[in-house]
């Protein structure tokens, strides 16, 4: 069984027991998040249900495992012969999430 969900402006294919990282979500470590309106597709092994735009009665339960930061990216801008150089770093705030279950009504 798997589902396609919309989370933080991106789409993810998730299965029960799967752990993945997404953009920072609101919630403490151990909190449960239930997605109802953001389930786009559900496949239960026999039948595929496609939502318009979401599948009615489908839920995906997520658990916040931890909040973390991604590796540092270096952003370097330069204009030759103009003495213009800017070096800047960026670390993306992430949340590691575990899929607890997928239910279809």
């Amino acid at each position: 069984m798997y589902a396609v969900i919309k989370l933080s402006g991106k789409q993810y294919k998730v299965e029960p027991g799967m752990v993945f990282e997404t953009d920072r979500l609101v919630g403490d470590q151990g909190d449960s998040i239930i997605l109802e309106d953001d389930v786009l597709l559900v496949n239960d092994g026999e039948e595929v249900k496609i939502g318009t735009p979401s599948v009615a009665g489908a839920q995906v339960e997520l658990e916040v495992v931890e909040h973390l930061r991604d590796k540092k990216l270096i952003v370097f801008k330069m204009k030759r012969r103009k003495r213009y150089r800017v070096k800047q770093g960026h670390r993306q705030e992430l949340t590691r999430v575990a899929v607890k279950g997928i239910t279809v009504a």
Side-chain angles (χ1 to χ4, degrees):
M1 173 177 251
Y2 69 88
V4 175
I5 60 171
K6 181 176 68 172
L7 189 64
S8 299
K10 300 174 184 153
Q11 294 180 5
Y12 298 96
K13 179 183 173 187
V14 296
E15 298 175 354
M18 180 177 158
V19 177
F20 66 97
E21 294 174 357
T22 184
D23 291 338
R24 180 63 59 103
L25 298 174
V26 177
D28 294 329
Q29 185 174 354
D31 284 354
S32 181
I33 300 170
I34 296 177
L35 301 175
E36 294 176 346
D37 297 333
D38 296 328
V39 181
L40 306 176
L41 179 138
V42 175
N43 182 357
D44 59 0
E46 300 172 0
E47 184 180 1
V48 177
K49 294 183 181 179
I50 301 173
T52 55
S54 62
V55 179
Q59 289 184 349
V60 175
E61 184 178 357
L62 306 174
E63 180 185 356
V64 176
V65 176
E66 67 176 325
H67 295 292
L68 61 138
R69 295 177 77 190
D70 204 5
K71 64 179 184 176
K72 182 175 246 188
L73 298 176
I74 303 298
V75 180
F76 184 74
K77 298 178 183 178
M78 183 182 114
K79 296 189 184 208
R80 62 184 188 152
R81 299 187 302 268
K82 305 296 182 197
R83 290 190 185 181
Y84 174 77
R85 290 173 179 82
V86 176
K87 182 178 178 182
Q88 184 178 8
H90 175 76
R91 290 186 72 183
Q92 185 69 33
E93 304 268 332
L94 299 174
T95 299
R96 187 168 288 144
V97 177
V99 181
K100 294 310 243 177
I102 300 170
T103 57
V104 181

